[in-house]
Short mmCIF file of all heavy atoms in Angstrom, two decimals:
data_model
loop_
_atom_site.label_atom_id
_atom_site.label_comp_id
_atom_site.label_asym_id
_atom_site.label_seq_id
_atom_site.Cartn_x
_atom_site.Cartn_y
_atom_site.Cartn_z
N LYS A 7 10.86 49.94 98.39
CA LYS A 7 10.41 50.90 99.34
C LYS A 7 11.54 51.55 100.03
O LYS A 7 12.58 50.88 100.17
CB LYS A 7 9.36 50.34 100.30
CG LYS A 7 8.11 49.83 99.61
CD LYS A 7 7.11 49.31 100.68
CE LYS A 7 5.83 48.88 100.02
NZ LYS A 7 4.79 48.44 101.07
N VAL A 24 26.11 60.23 96.46
CA VAL A 24 25.07 60.44 97.42
C VAL A 24 25.08 59.21 98.26
O VAL A 24 25.16 58.06 97.67
CB VAL A 24 23.65 60.59 96.80
CG1 VAL A 24 22.54 60.56 97.77
CG2 VAL A 24 23.70 61.92 96.00
N ARG A 29 25.38 54.46 102.71
CA ARG A 29 25.52 53.52 101.73
C ARG A 29 25.51 54.11 100.38
O ARG A 29 24.54 54.88 100.10
CB ARG A 29 24.54 52.42 101.70
CG ARG A 29 24.64 51.33 100.60
CD ARG A 29 23.48 50.32 100.81
NE ARG A 29 23.51 49.19 99.77
CZ ARG A 29 22.62 48.32 99.62
NH1 ARG A 29 21.40 48.36 100.35
NH2 ARG A 29 22.73 47.39 98.66
N VAL A 31 24.81 55.22 96.68
CA VAL A 31 23.76 55.04 95.68
C VAL A 31 24.49 54.51 94.44
O VAL A 31 25.56 55.01 94.01
CB VAL A 31 23.04 56.31 95.26
CG1 VAL A 31 22.23 56.22 94.06
CG2 VAL A 31 22.26 56.78 96.42
N ASP A 159 31.46 66.03 77.48
CA ASP A 159 31.64 64.82 78.39
C ASP A 159 30.31 64.04 78.44
O ASP A 159 29.22 64.45 77.95
CB ASP A 159 32.23 65.29 79.69
CG ASP A 159 31.29 66.01 80.52
OD1 ASP A 159 29.96 65.89 80.44
OD2 ASP A 159 31.84 66.89 81.40
N GLN A 203 -0.20 77.15 64.44
CA GLN A 203 -1.36 76.27 64.28
C GLN A 203 -2.43 76.50 65.32
O GLN A 203 -3.58 76.59 65.11
CB GLN A 203 -1.02 74.77 64.08
CG GLN A 203 -0.24 74.51 62.82
CD GLN A 203 -0.99 74.75 61.54
OE1 GLN A 203 -2.20 74.66 61.57
NE2 GLN A 203 -0.23 75.32 60.57
#
Side-chain angles (χ1 to χ4, degrees):
K7 293 185 178 181
V24 174
R29 182 183 181 185
V31 171
D159 67 32
Q203 293 300 324

